[in-house]
Amino acid sequence: LATRTVRIHIKDYKRKGNINGGGVWCQLLEGDVDYERAMAILKNKGFDGYLTAEVSKSDPNMSDMDYFKSIVAAEEIIASYYDKA
């Protein structure tokens, strides 16, 4: 599928225990996704398209601007993993 993949949606998930133990969706880089490894695999397979972050604000007390800044920071970290792969 590497040559047919145009866009990838990313999100993060925090497991509760084993692989079938359930879990919760969480903010980027706060879960169990190994983005450094995932970005290396994408680059190795030749993917150079868009990544769309699927996120939502989980802290109602956080300002929208602070939330936006936190997402941008996480996206920059994830992009840096791709760049250094």
Side-chain angles (χ1 to χ4, degrees):
L1 293 175
T3 60
R4 302 178 81 181
T5 303
V6 179
R7 291 184 182 89
I8 296 175
H9 290 235
I10 61 172
K11 55 183 98 175
D12 217 332
Y13 190 78
K14 184 72 175 168
R15 290 187 200 149
K16 293 181 181 176
N18 63 30
I19 197 163
N20 293 322
V24 294
W25 297 108
C26 58
Q27 298 305 321
L28 294 174
L29 302 176
E30 293 180 3
D32 295 317
V33 175
D34 184 348
Y35 280 105
E36 190 165 10
R37 182 172 177 235
M39 294 302 106
I41 291 168
L42 289 175
K43 188 170 188 177
N44 183 13
K45 296 297 181 184
F47 179 78
D48 191 26
Y50 289 100
L51 298 176
T52 301
E54 292 189 17
V55 296
S56 62
K57 190 166 82 169
S58 58
D59 179 359
N61 297 317
M62 180 184 271
S63 74
D64 289 343
M65 186 54 72
D66 286 342
Y67 175 68
F68 175 74
K69 288 177 183 177
S70 73
I71 296 304
V72 169
E75 289 172 339
E76 288 174 352
I77 291 168
I78 293 168
S80 76
Y81 294 151
Y82 183 90
D83 293 337
K84 71 179 182 179

